[in-house]
Amino acid sequence: MKKILFFTTIFLTMATAYQYTIFDMNGKNQGTINGELNKSILSDFAKKNHGSILVKKGSKNIVSSLQDLISKQQYYALTNLPKRDINLNVDSLDKEHWLEVEKNEIISICFDKRVLTWETSLTSKILNDSCLAFKVPTLIGVDSLKVNFLKDYDSYNLNYLNSNSTYNINLAIGMKFLDFINEEVLLGSNELGRTIAPLEGVKEEDPEKLVSITNTYLVDKYPVTNCEFTQLMWDSIPKESSYAHTGAKRTQEAWFARKKNSIRNENCIAKDSAASTVFLYQAMKYANARSIRENLKPYYIFSTTTDDESKILSKGEYIIGYYSFTPQENSSIHVSVDTTSNGYRLPYYNEWMIFARGGDKKNRAPWGNSSASIENVLKYANFGTATKHYDSDPVGQLQPNGYGLYDMFGLVWEHVLFEKNNPFLLLQWKPSCLKGGDKHIRLDNEDRASYVHRSWQKIDYGHSRINYSGFVLSGFRLVRKLK
């Protein structure tokens, strides 16, 4: 695994001017440090207390114990509730090590060597000289903890410290860490009629092809949920709709209702219902907001335009529909991408195909081919007869694909961008489409909704839905390209 610079390592760097509170193994406050941290200071604290110490950044209030700093309920959870135990061998660690965790999970992480200091902003408690219990944050994203080890297993003498003994443990919360090195993947589709009406039966101009990739990604394990979207976009969601259009008005009022029934900064459960009523522009705004929350550089740049036709202008430059929680004066907005960004974004078409296949280079879909039984299909995709237009079922209820990604088919359509060219003859220059298919696909051949496909047997990796202007409401998941 290669070294990667992330906001978390900057956030917790040893040479930053923050206030730190030091706790011993019993959770007792051992004092504060203002300004620069260095190994000499940390070693002195550890030596004085004859054991590992926990360094909490940004603790402004004077507290006598760790239990006073965090709620009694959280402190109890760290000590007494069931935990997932993770054991790591220090000699096998990279300097930037990734762990995949779930939101709100209680984790016990243990090393095979004695720890000098733990540095983290997580709710956490030292269990012993080698183990720390912590609670994973409530929102999808990345957090981290920094661990300093002793070179000599039995001594806290500064002379025994190894200058190369510091490791960053990065937590991929609700995401998969995918490191492709010369990975052969299959792109495209040779099938006919893979698009929703009015283009049903049109041959797609995207033939299958094997390519080799070397990239590192963080990919959302699940589609973004309603709670995630509501919490992060809280300040953007008004109290009432100003749309005159009935459909848009009802859709946005569903978000107003979710906000009204939510509490600011409340916990989002790992498997909440998937967000299914998001415009393309809103998904991009959410991606930027998630980047900003993690001190990353936003990927999308927005500017006004008088051009009212949605299209690809050039690589990474688009005109899309300007649809949000309230009507805008202009119907379209200009979007460009910041190529220096290290933040979150929507997947591009070929990336979505890679993630959806999950390493599959043979079949039409995760369940096999069109001869698969509906029982086998429903192990991977939530296709059903649900009638709720403004809501969806929970994410992650079915089996994941080969990369550990859930709901790539069924449940909700997903917004996907074309990076430079749209390969489809009748969709040339359009910036986006929808991939995956939603749960409203009928299983009973009854034509109750003209906008949905009537046969689950035609769903495959090439299956798409048009999104001419970005007005089509859908779900989405985000990615970060790390390298």
Side-chain angles (χ1 to χ4, degrees):
M1 198 181 302
K2 305 295 178 62
K3 290 184 179 180
I4 305 167
L5 180 61
F6 290 97
F7 86 98
T8 46
T9 59
I10 300 172
F11 187 73
L12 295 172
T13 182
M14 297 285 282
T16 189
Y18 286 98
Q19 182 183 67
Y20 300 86
T21 303
I22 310 298
F23 296 94
D24 63 19
M25 293 177 60
N26 296 316
K28 185 178 180 182
N29 187 334
Q30 294 298 319
T32 60
I33 301 172
N34 290 290
E36 182 178 341
L37 278 180
N38 58 55
K39 286 190 174 183
S40 176
I41 294 175
L42 296 177
S43 180
D44 287 344
F45 270 99
K47 187 175 181 180
K48 172 185 174 183
N49 290 285
H50 306 289
S52 300
I53 57 173
L54 175 63
V55 182
K56 299 287 289 184
K57 192 185 77 170
S59 303
K60 299 296 183 182
N61 298 324
I62 302 300
V63 291
S64 60
S65 69
L66 189 61
Q67 188 171 358
D68 294 329
L69 182 64
I70 61 178
S71 72
K72 290 183 179 180
Q73 183 179 7
Q74 289 177 318
Y75 191 83
Y76 174 84
L78 291 174
T79 307
N80 299 292
L81 291 185
K83 308 178 188 68
R84 179 159 67 97
D85 297 324
I86 298 176
N87 297 298
L88 296 176
N89 185 309
V90 176
D91 292 335
S92 65
L93 291 181
D94 296 301
K95 286 300 180 179
E96 295 284 347
H97 188 78
W98 284 92
L99 291 178
E100 296 171 358
V101 296
E102 290 285 4
K103 292 182 289 187
N104 304 307
E105 194 174 16
I106 304 295
I107 300 288
S108 169
I109 183 172
C110 294
F111 294 95
D112 60 344
K113 291 185 178 180
R114 197 174 180 183
V115 175
L116 172 66
T117 62
W118 308 85
E119 295 177 58
T120 183
S121 59
L122 300 169
T123 297
S124 50
K125 180 182 185 297
I126 295 175
L127 300 179
N128 56 51
D129 264 352
S130 301
C131 300
L132 181 80
F134 62 88
K135 181 178 182 294
V136 178
T138 184
L139 294 177
I140 191 171
V142 174
D143 214 309
S144 74
L145 57 94
K146 181 176 289 187
V147 188
N148 296 294
F149 295 98
L150 289 171
K151 182 178 180 181
D152 187 289
Y153 193 84
D154 299 314
S155 175
Y156 278 100
N157 190 318
L158 181 60
N159 295 328
Y160 287 87
L161 284 178
N162 183 348
S163 61
N164 297 316
S165 61
T166 300
Y167 296 83
N168 288 310
I169 309 300
N170 296 306
L171 307 176
I173 305 166
M175 292 187 290
K176 294 296 295 184
F177 177 79
L178 301 178
D179 191 12
F180 300 123
I181 301 175
N182 295 323
E183 180 90 2
E184 187 179 68
V185 298
L186 182 64
L187 300 179
S189 172
N190 292 334
E191 301 298 328
L192 297 177
R194 296 281 63 83
T195 49
I196 293 298
L199 302 181
E200 187 173 348
V202 174
K203 184 176 181 180
E204 294 189 341
E205 306 296 324
D206 188 29
E208 287 184 350
K209 49 191 172 293
L210 285 171
V211 299
S212 178
I213 63 170
T214 299
N215 291 316
T216 305
Y217 291 98
L218 286 177
V219 185
D220 288 356
K221 286 175 64 175
Y222 319 104
V224 171
T225 67
N226 282 312
C227 181
E228 290 277 356
F229 193 82
T230 300
Q231 288 298 324
L232 197 53
M233 303 299 287
W234 188 275
D235 293 334
S236 300
I237 304 175
K239 293 183 178 180
E240 59 183 20
S241 176
S242 53
Y243 273 105
H245 186 275
T246 303
K249 182 179 179 66
R250 282 196 300 228
T251 299
Q252 300 315 299
E253 284 176 345
W255 286 113
F256 310 150
R258 291 187 188 103
K259 180 177 178 179
K260 182 179 179 180
N261 294 326
S262 300
I263 300 172
R264 189 71 172 108
N265 298 320
E266 69 179 341
N267 284 356
C268 288
I269 61 174
K271 297 182 179 180
D272 181 34
S273 58
S276 59
T277 53
V278 180
F279 295 123
L280 176 62
Y281 169 74
Q282 289 176 316
M284 291 177 170
K285 291 289 287 185
Y286 172 91
N288 278 1
R290 202 156 112 185
S291 297
I292 293 169
R293 188 189 72 202
E294 296 186 13
N295 293 333
L296 300 171
K297 194 173 185 180
Y299 190 77
Y300 299 111
I301 302 170
F302 303 100
S303 57
T304 58
T305 181
T306 57
D307 194 335
D308 60 358
E309 181 184 0
S310 294
K311 55 190 172 184
I312 302 173
L313 298 175
S314 62
K315 183 178 180 179
E317 189 175 9
Y318 313 93
I319 303 293
I320 68 168
Y322 196 2
Y323 306 113
S324 189
F325 293 109
T326 56
Q328 306 298 322
E329 182 177 349
N330 297 325
S331 61
S332 299
I333 190 167
H334 180 276
V335 182
S336 59
V337 304
D338 186 340
T339 57
T340 67
S341 168
N342 59 350
Y344 293 96
R345 59 174 172 80
L346 295 170
Y348 289 114
Y349 180 86
N350 281 342
E351 290 173 330
W352 190 94
M353 293 288 279
I354 292 170
F355 303 146
R357 286 185 179 274
D360 185 0
K361 296 193 286 282
K362 176 182 178 182
N363 296 306
R364 287 178 46 180
W367 48 83
N369 296 311
S370 57
S371 59
S373 68
I374 184 60
E375 289 77 18
N376 193 40
V377 170
L378 293 179
K379 293 178 182 178
Y380 295 91
N382 187 347
F383 295 153
T385 57
T387 58
K388 291 182 180 180
H389 182 64
Y390 300 115
D391 212 343
S392 70
D393 291 341
V395 301
Q397 301 299 302
L398 305 178
Q399 293 184 18
N401 69 5
Y403 289 157
L405 303 175
Y406 293 79
D407 304 311
M408 296 300 297
F409 288 89
L411 196 60
V412 293
W413 291 100
E414 296 188 18
H415 287 292
V416 173
L417 281 178
F418 295 101
E419 186 172 16
K420 183 178 180 181
N421 297 311
N422 186 327
F424 307 127
L425 183 62
L426 296 185
L427 289 178
Q428 281 188 345
W429 309 116
K430 297 304 176 184
S432 72
C433 68
L434 304 175
K435 297 291 291 181
D438 70 9
K439 70 175 183 179
H440 296 92
I441 291 170
R442 308 303 300 185
L443 300 181
D444 54 10
N445 293 323
E446 293 185 26
D447 188 12
R448 298 176 184 172
S450 61
Y451 68 93
V452 299
H453 212 293
R454 291 171 296 184
S455 175
W456 56 268
Q457 294 164 315
K458 294 185 178 180
I459 305 300
D460 61 24
Y461 294 118
H463 189 65
S464 302
R465 186 180 179 190
I466 60 176
N467 190 18
Y468 283 124
S469 64
F471 184 74
V472 179
L473 293 157
S474 182
F476 65 102
R477 74 182 72 214
L478 297 183
V479 304
R480 274 182 66 195
K481 189 175 181 180
L482 306 179
K483 188 175 181 182

